[in-house]
Amino acid sequence: MSADAFRKTIALLASAGLLLSLGACSGSTPSSAEASSSASSSETKRNQSVADDGSSDEKPSAQVSKEPDLKVPEGSALDVLEQLPVKGRAPKTGYARDQFGPAWSDVDHNGCDTRNDILNRDMSDKTYKANTHDCVVATGVLNDPYTGKRIDFTRGQDTSTAVQIDHVVALSNAWQTGAQQLSEATRTQFANDPYNLLAVDGPANQQKSDGDAATWLPANKSFRCEYVARQIGVKKKYDLWVTQGEHDAMKNVLSSCPTQQVPTDGGVVTPIEVQESPEPAQTQEPAPAPAQTQEPTPAPAQQDENVYYKNCAAVRAAGKAPLYRSDPGYAPKLDRDGDGIACE
């Protein structure tokens, strides 16, 4: 091979190597159009993915759900509570215990006072004071609803106060929520109504005093629903109202026991006094009226036309004042006001 041919061959080989190198670079680096197309395709796929699975980077706004109101069963204590008027507390002016009659009267006329009636009802294992016809409780056992504890009761000067009779709706509270308007007889019944009375732990009763549900509730939480339900029943029975605070406290207690019923009314039963029918009165024939004797009509007095009085002074001097129209000597000139009576 000549030197000239050798140089041409080398030049061709160099050109071929250069072309191969340029082709490799062109295959590894995409064009700007291809890059743009690829980016657009990637964004489209990402958007398609979001649309398909419903997810996104933004958090959905929180939905506020309102809790449904407490459903009030018809006939429940909650239902009766909503029937009571809600008013402010009236003044305590004029309140005294004797406004509700003598303490522990025997209103049912069973021969036993109200305190012992309630002890008999609420206690077990009772014994009685001799010669009281099983009325006066001497000993007994009370399962106290206010504290949940057992109390062994013994009647005595220093021990009887261990068990006291509580007015579930206190008398003072009743006075300030409508009892002022009740008759004295109805207030006496209220104070002795077994429906409003419970035998309870003495210290707990003293702690309660005249508080309502807004200021005092039994320590025994399992009894609270029945306690406020009884207060509601008593107020309904006697047409009393509740204060707003009292209403809200009762509703709060009953929210944990919405089906709680108002206790059955075991109220005072006033016996009907049977009165013997009086014997029919004998009808007596009326005595005939005595015959009326008719007095003879006196003849009208004849006027003495000759009687004359110059003036009233003359009438008075004659002792004839006053003169009537029918009297002798009457003259219109003496009767200035024309009433038929002269020289008055």
Side-chain angles (χ1 to χ4, degrees), residues 2-344:
S2 63
D4 186 47
F6 179 76
R7 285 194 296 272
K8 288 181 179 180
T9 300
I10 294 300
L12 288 172
L13 290 173
S15 298
L18 178 61
L19 289 173
L20 290 173
S21 175
L22 290 172
C25 290
S26 175
S28 62
T29 305
S31 66
S32 61
E34 290 175 338
S36 175
S37 175
S38 176
S40 175
S41 175
S42 176
E43 180 67 19
T44 300
K45 289 181 180 180
R46 188 181 69 83
N47 290 339
Q48 182 66 36
S49 175
V50 170
D52 289 343
D53 62 16
S55 63
S56 68
D57 291 338
E58 295 182 2
K59 294 183 179 180
S61 59
Q63 295 182 353
V64 179
S65 60
K66 182 180 179 181
E67 293 186 2
D69 293 335
L70 182 65
K71 186 173 180 61
V72 179
E74 186 176 354
S76 66
L78 274 170
D79 183 30
V80 179
L81 173 61
E82 296 309 317
Q83 299 172 28
L84 298 180
V86 178
K87 302 181 184 179
R89 190 185 300 274
K92 198 175 179 179
T93 307
Y95 169 73
R97 175 60 181 83
D98 58 12
Q99 292 281 5
F100 290 81
W104 308 135
S105 302
D106 180 16
V107 294
D108 57 0
H109 307 300
N110 67 347
C112 197
D113 62 273
T114 301
R115 172 179 165 81
N116 280 291
D117 280 341
I118 302 304
L119 292 177
N120 266 295
R121 184 195 68 184
D122 293 352
M123 298 177 71
S124 60
D125 300 331
K126 301 178 292 287
T127 64
Y128 299 94
K129 183 179 178 180
N131 302 318
T132 62
H133 304 286
D134 290 348
C135 168
V136 179
V137 177
T139 63
V141 175
L142 175 70
N143 292 317
D144 175 44
Y146 285 0
T147 63
K149 68 182 182 181
R150 170 190 168 118
I151 301 175
D152 294 310
F153 171 77
T154 300
R155 185 175 184 273
Q157 183 176 354
D158 299 325
T159 57
S160 289
T161 56
V163 173
Q164 299 179 12
I165 308 302
D166 179 42
H167 291 96
V168 179
V169 174
L171 301 185
S172 173
N173 175 271
W175 180 262
Q176 296 176 84
T177 56
Q180 294 184 36
Q181 303 167 12
L182 301 178
S183 67
E184 183 177 351
T186 303
R187 288 198 298 267
T188 299
Q189 176 177 323
F190 177 89
N192 293 276
D193 190 343
Y195 190 52
N196 189 37
L197 298 173
L198 290 175
V200 299
D201 174 67
N205 185 44
Q206 293 297 315
Q207 183 187 50
K208 172 188 172 180
S209 186
D210 60 354
D212 59 20
T215 59
W216 188 89
L217 290 170
N220 181 13
K221 293 183 179 180
S222 64
F223 186 68
R224 289 181 177 179
C225 286
E226 183 177 342
Y227 174 75
V228 298
R230 185 172 292 271
Q231 287 186 322
I232 291 168
V234 170
K235 294 215 164 190
K236 178 68 174 178
K237 178 177 180 179
Y238 287 93
D239 295 324
L240 306 179
W241 68 77
V242 291
T243 65
Q244 187 64 59
E246 187 179 9
H247 171 278
D248 294 347
M250 289 174 164
K251 187 173 183 179
N252 182 58
V253 170
L254 293 172
S255 65
S256 64
C257 47
T259 59
Q260 172 70 48
Q261 298 291 304
V262 170
T264 303
D265 181 6
V268 172
V269 178
T270 304
I272 300 174
E273 297 181 1
V274 180
Q275 296 181 351
E276 296 182 0
S277 301
E279 295 182 1
Q282 295 181 353
T283 57
Q284 187 174 4
E285 293 292 334
Q292 294 182 353
T293 57
Q294 187 172 3
E295 295 289 334
T297 304
Q302 295 183 353
Q303 293 188 7
D304 188 353
E305 296 180 357
N306 296 324
V307 177
Y308 170 78
Y309 298 107
K310 182 179 179 180
N311 50 39
C312 283
V315 174
R316 294 187 182 97
K320 298 297 184 179
L323 285 175
Y324 294 90
R325 194 185 302 273
S326 59
D327 291 341
Y330 172 85
K333 68 175 184 178
L334 302 175
D335 185 7
R336 294 184 179 181
D337 55 5
D339 63 352
I341 305 174
C343 302
E344 298 171 77

